[in-house]
Amino acid sequence: MALSREVDDGNDAVSSDPLTEETTTTKRKRLNSSAGTLTFEDSVHATQLPTLPFEIMIEILSRLPVKFLMQLRSVCKSWKSLISDPKFAKKHLRVSITRHHLLLTFPSRSSEIFVTAYLLSSVFTEVTATTTQLEYPLNNGNRIAQIVDSCHGILCFSIDQRLVLLWNPSIRKFMNLPDNPKQRDSYTIYGFGYTHLSDSYKVVAVSNYCESDDTYKTEVKVLTLGTSAWRRIQDFRSGVHFYDSGKFVSGTVNWLTGRISSSSRVIVSLDLEKESYQEFLQPDYGGVMTVVTISLGVLRDCLCILSFSDTFSDVWLMQEYGNKDSWTKLIRVPNMGDVGSRPYAKTLYVSEDDKVLLKYKYSLVVYNARDDTFKTLEVQDNNDWMIPAIYQESLISPCM
């Protein structure tokens, strides 16, 4: 059975002092949300003031930060009802100024997970980034939790490769999905995303396993939020290894894969609506003699590849999803010092002024392509197991 939880600090109504002779002659404010009017009334008469139509009020509220909206739920019942409405949450996601956050998880020796969030804009612009400590909702056992991906403000975690947690830290709501039974001796990775046509969120589980004849196979299952069970879909062809969690972009989940008997890699894409596959080739790296490693990500709503060579790393974007000819080199990042075999493990974000946030060994660095400088982000409780992710503020609830 799936477990969900909603944390609600808002009150249904605002309390008032008992009426006295003085307060009966003092005007009080009242919001009439159904009529869209704001009035002042006293014991003798009510005066209607020039007001905004309720539709305009919705437009204003839909552009406010999530933290402020969560506070505004306490103003009155009608505002609480509006802000809690899934339709308003979708509108807010469409029209609000996007506020992204950097999320860092730190597993500890006590098996607890510590979570810190940074306002992403402050990472690029401030000496000390604005930080917030978050309470991870499942610190109750010896479990290994890994971030899969984020979509519309919802973070997806896989736990012991069998359980899946969906969590929106902006509104402090989470949901445990039904258990995903594993094949014996299999390794399972996940993907998470949204399909617009059916207006649904889906989690995809890809299990790699060997059969008795040493044949390497994959098993693919999908769970649609709002349903109670995983279901098998068409498996991807045998003999392909999936390296990392899927990346969501343009209604698809994408994995970097490779043949067991070959060092070449391709991108496998699963269309979440059609539940069908296609493959993409890597970019043409041109004159680069040796590409040591590559990693897959998403930047500016485009599929992204970070390719690492001996002296530098290139950030590539697939500017038109599905078009292999649209791979474009965005930025070249010089390697820092004694880099080892894989210094830049992940490209996390790129700003409009071409500053790139990367995971570098066990640190986070910002590279400014315009002046060719680096800045190392000061992270508290840093350790080798620091896992970063990017998410945006939203009112979308995982409790469906």
Side-chain angles (χ1 to χ4, degrees), residues 10-255:
N11 299 316
D12 287 347
V14 179
S15 61
S16 58
D17 295 329
L19 289 178
T20 63
E21 181 177 356
E22 180 179 1
T23 58
T24 56
T25 59
T26 302
K27 296 177 181 179
R28 62 185 176 86
K29 208 181 293 185
R30 178 170 61 88
L31 173 68
N32 184 336
S33 62
S34 60
T37 59
L38 186 66
T39 64
F40 283 99
E41 60 181 37
D42 56 25
S43 58
V44 179
H45 65 279
T47 303
Q48 182 170 316
L49 301 177
T51 60
L52 292 173
F54 193 58
E55 292 75 14
I56 301 299
M57 192 180 304
I58 292 176
E59 292 296 325
I60 295 172
L61 291 176
S62 65
R63 285 163 171 80
L64 297 179
V66 170
K67 183 177 181 179
F68 192 27
L69 289 171
M70 300 303 284
Q71 296 171 342
L72 290 178
R73 293 183 308 168
S74 300
V75 171
C76 60
K77 289 184 177 181
S78 60
W79 279 26
K80 180 177 181 179
S81 176
L82 170 64
I83 295 169
S84 302
D85 191 321
K87 292 182 179 179
F88 178 80
K90 291 179 181 178
K91 180 179 180 63
H92 178 270
L93 186 69
R94 291 195 309 270
V95 306
S96 64
I97 299 174
T98 303
R99 295 172 177 85
H100 286 92
H101 296 259
L102 167 66
L103 185 91
L104 302 179
T105 59
F106 304 92
S108 68
R109 293 179 180 178
S110 63
S111 300
E112 287 188 326
I113 295 177
F114 298 96
V115 184
T116 304
Y118 295 80
L119 185 62
L120 196 54
S121 59
S122 69
V123 171
F124 292 103
T125 59
E126 299 176 10
V127 175
T128 302
T130 304
T131 180
T132 303
Q133 295 297 125
L134 301 177
E135 183 179 351
Y136 179 70
L138 288 186
N139 271 331
N140 57 358
N142 186 15
R143 295 173 170 177
I144 299 175
Q146 295 181 326
I147 298 177
V148 175
D149 204 358
S150 67
C151 177
H152 296 172
I154 301 174
L155 288 158
C156 178
F157 289 78
S158 68
I159 303 169
D160 296 337
Q161 300 182 39
R162 184 176 57 85
L163 304 175
V164 176
L165 166 73
L166 299 180
W167 176 37
N168 184 336
S170 299
I171 58 175
R172 295 189 296 170
K173 294 182 181 179
F174 73 91
M175 183 173 187
N176 286 330
L177 300 187
D179 286 8
N180 173 28
K182 291 179 54 180
Q183 290 274 359
R184 184 178 179 181
D185 298 327
S186 66
Y187 177 76
T188 303
I189 59 175
Y190 290 86
F192 172 58
Y194 172 79
T195 171
H196 178 74
L197 289 178
S198 58
D199 186 24
S200 59
Y201 293 87
K202 294 183 178 182
V203 180
V204 185
V206 180
S207 297
N208 299 301
Y209 64 96
C210 286
E211 293 195 327
S212 57
D213 59 356
D214 292 333
T215 304
Y216 200 79
K217 290 192 175 182
T218 62
E219 178 186 88
V220 184
K221 291 188 284 188
V222 170
L223 188 140
T224 302
L225 266 65
T227 64
S228 59
W230 295 86
R231 55 185 174 83
R232 285 283 299 272
I233 65 171
Q234 176 187 359
D235 297 332
F236 196 69
R237 67 172 185 265
S238 301
V240 176
H241 180 70
F242 287 67
Y243 289 97
D244 199 1
S245 299
K247 311 303 178 186
F248 171 72
V249 61
S250 299
T252 67
V253 177
N254 303 265
W255 294 269

Side-chain angles (χ1 to χ4, degrees), residues 332-353:
R332 173 161 289 178
V333 183
N335 292 340
M336 296 173 59
D338 182 16
V339 297
S341 62
R342 193 179 182 186
Y344 303 124
K346 186 180 296 185
T347 311
L348 296 167
Y349 195 83
V350 58
S351 66
E352 293 301 322
D353 57 351

